[in-house]
Amino acid sequence: MEYRKLGNTGLTLSSLGFGASSLGGVFHELKEAEGIKAVHTAVDNGINFIDVSPYYGHLKAETVLGKALREIPRDKYILSTKVGRYGHDGINTWDYSGKRAHDSVFESMERLGVDYIDIINVHDIEFADLHQVAQETLPALVELREKGVVGHVGITDLQLENLKWVVDNVPDGTVESVLNFCHYCLCDDKLLDFLDYFESKGIGVINASPLSMGLLSRRGAPDWHPAPEGLRKACRKAVEFCDARGYQIEKLAMQYSTGNSRIASTLFSTTNPDNVLNNLSFISEPAPEELVNEVRSRIGDEFRTSWKNS
């Protein structure tokens, strides 16, 4: 396992991180005991970065993750969670007020069974008034950082432009990390356009969804996936091409997304311990550059096609 510095935070993350969204039953029905075992398998095999949110499964992911973490020494993992996006009774809710952000941190710590959060993020800022994020949400989190309740403060979003806008409109050092998804994978590398900017600010970069939420998998994207049909078809061609070459596209996707040393960690999510081991095996060798280029040629004009978050 390779470990990389997260900007100027002083944290060193495993190049592959465990995204705990699946523990909330977000993608598939959850077998709780298996999900807990998946967390233990990840940590036992060198993954030290775990990311979650109260939004995932509407508190369920944090609750299940908390059960897993109670059996792991606190110094074995770096924990990230979020504020701003929530839900209950199957209904999504958003609240980016300073008071809700403050209270949410303590509620998350109780569910997770910890007394300290390494990284606290404002979740999916495109759903917020960005001025409120800059002037209210982030200051509330910075205050908790100053009190030692949280270690570091970050922001997350699909839209890279929003991340940059917030960084540009808060005091230097407010935002220490950014988490972006679906923009450093085989079908979209837009994140590369922003790395110089984030590095110039000392901000660490976390990538998520190396399979582009299922587009780059043999199973295929779920029905709810917001990608346009043209991109879906192009990715299906890429999957079929890899199959014909006898190379799993999931393996290639994981190798590619974790292969850039300027990105501190890439998050994947599963409740299956075997999948954890498979992904660790995948990234033990680099992506074949020729195959990456051939897959990109199959994606063609749909490369860097994106979508709105949902």
Side-chain angles (χ1 to χ4, degrees):
M1 177 67 72
E2 183 179 352
Y3 297 88
R4 300 168 182 165
K5 293 181 179 180
L6 181 67
N8 292 340
T9 64
L11 298 176
T12 302
L13 309 186
S14 50
S15 61
L16 187 63
F18 186 89
S21 55
S22 288
L23 298 181
V26 175
F27 305 111
H28 308 288
E29 185 177 351
L30 170 69
K31 295 178 181 178
E32 186 174 294
E34 187 176 41
I36 290 172
K37 185 178 179 182
V39 176
H40 293 166
T41 300
V43 175
D44 288 345
N45 286 275
I47 292 176
N48 74 348
F49 180 48
I50 303 173
D51 175 77
V52 70
S53 167
Y55 169 67
Y56 302 146
H58 296 172
L59 310 183
K60 186 174 182 180
E62 283 192 333
T63 301
V64 175
L65 179 59
K67 294 178 182 179
L69 295 181
R70 284 168 175 79
E71 302 176 37
I72 304 173
R74 185 62 181 88
D75 62 355
K76 293 293 186 182
Y77 60 89
I78 294 166
L79 180 62
S80 163
T81 192
K82 309 179 182 76
V83 304
R85 194 170 185 186
Y86 310 99
H88 58 86
D89 298 328
I91 299 172
N92 295 334
T93 61
W94 295 264
D95 188 340
Y96 294 88
S97 66
K99 182 181 186 308
R100 186 71 193 98
H102 173 279
D103 293 347
S104 182
V105 171
F106 289 93
E107 292 165 9
S108 288
M109 287 196 298
E110 184 174 354
R111 283 187 293 270
L112 292 163
V114 299
D115 57 8
Y116 176 82
I117 301 289
D118 297 285
I119 307 171
I120 190 68
N121 301 282
V122 187
H123 195 177
D124 285 347
I125 59 175
E126 69 186 271
F127 292 105
D129 176 344
L130 296 184
H131 292 88
Q132 183 183 29
V133 170
Q135 298 167 14
E136 185 177 350
T137 323
L138 283 169
L141 299 181
V142 168
E143 183 178 348
L144 291 177
R145 182 176 69 192
E146 291 172 349
K147 292 179 177 178
V149 177
V150 302
H152 306 280
V153 173
I155 52 179
T156 87
D157 204 12
L158 173 65
Q159 311 300 336
L160 285 152
E161 293 80 4
N162 290 341
L163 298 173
K164 183 178 184 300
W165 187 95
V166 169
V167 173
D168 281 339
N169 285 276
V170 296
D172 287 347
T174 298
V175 175
E176 299 173 272
S177 66
V178 295
L179 192 164
N180 180 251
F181 57 101
C182 296
H183 287 309
Y184 193 73
C185 55
L186 289 173
C187 59
D188 192 327
D189 65 359
K190 186 178 179 180
L191 181 56
L192 292 176
D193 295 351
F194 291 78
L195 289 182
D196 285 347
Y197 170 78
F198 292 133
E199 289 173 353
S200 75
K201 299 287 186 177
I203 293 172
V205 177
I206 300 164
N207 177 41
S209 200
L211 305 187
S212 197
M213 294 168 23
L215 286 173
L216 299 167
S217 70
R218 287 165 295 167
R219 176 181 288 170
D223 291 341
W224 52 260
H225 199 296
E229 186 60 27
L231 178 58
R232 285 172 172 265
K233 289 181 178 178
C235 288
R236 178 50 53 186
K237 288 181 181 178
V239 171
E240 292 169 353
F241 171 76
C242 284
D243 281 347
R245 292 286 297 269
Y247 204 101
Q248 295 179 49
I249 195 165
E250 293 90 347
K251 178 178 180 178
L252 187 68
M254 294 298 299
Q255 290 172 327
Y256 175 79
S257 290
T258 58
N260 191 324
S261 61
R262 299 172 72 186
I263 296 170
S265 189
T266 292
L267 294 160
F268 77 104
S269 190
T270 185
T271 59
N272 186 333
D274 290 337
N275 286 344
V276 174
L277 297 175
N278 285 339
N279 283 316
L280 288 166
S281 175
F282 289 163
I283 68 167
S284 65
E285 54 189 60
E289 185 176 353
E290 181 182 353
L291 188 57
V292 169
N293 292 335
E294 289 175 327
V295 165
R296 289 272 175 83
S297 71
R298 269 69 187 176
I299 294 171
D301 292 342
E302 293 296 331
F303 187 65
R304 285 199 178 191
T305 296
S306 192
W307 56 82
K308 290 282 187 180
N309 204 351
S310 60

